[in-house]
Amino acid sequence: MTIRHVVSWQLASTDTAEKAEHARRISEELTGLVGVVPEIRALQVGADVAGAGNWDVVLIADFDDLDAVARYQVHPEHQRAGEFIRSVVAQRSCVDFEL
């Protein structure tokens, strides 16, 4: 079984340049977890390019099972990345599903 973990964020800033910088930093923080958090099997982060009311940033990550997702979520480096993300985000949405 593989679990796909999908998280979307709406950024709090209304300034275009600041939003772009926050999206870049979120991507940098999360992609930096690959090789550090052993439970991550695959991870991608992307900023929305279409606009028109879409959410701003998405994370798509694969894990072996829900226990691996739980270990990822409490890993100290994930917690550190989450501190920054929470500081710049207005809303968060998450879905975990089996592939």
Side-chain angles (χ1 to χ4, degrees), residues 5-96:
H5 176 67
V6 180
V7 184
S8 296
W9 296 277
Q10 284 185 333
L11 299 177
S13 179
T14 57
D15 178 78
T16 303
E18 186 175 52
K19 279 178 96 165
E21 173 56 23
H22 290 166
R24 183 201 64 75
R25 172 97 184 269
I26 288 171
S27 180
E28 179 180 279
E29 293 283 339
L30 293 172
T31 57
L33 298 176
V34 175
V36 174
V37 180
E39 288 78 11
I40 298 169
R41 297 292 166 245
L43 184 143
Q44 295 176 302
V45 181
D48 179 64
V49 296
N54 289 349
W55 287 51
D56 299 304
V57 182
V58 66
L59 161 73
I60 302 169
D62 293 342
F63 298 87
D64 288 339
D65 52 33
L66 287 172
D67 289 337
V69 175
R71 289 189 304 274
Y72 158 78
Q73 290 175 333
V74 298
H75 190 283
E77 288 302 307
H78 176 261
Q79 291 291 311
R80 185 192 55 72
E83 287 179 27
F84 170 73
I85 294 168
R86 285 186 297 277
S87 77
V88 299
V89 164
Q91 292 187 27
R92 176 188 178 271
S93 172
C94 180
V95 176
D96 296 309

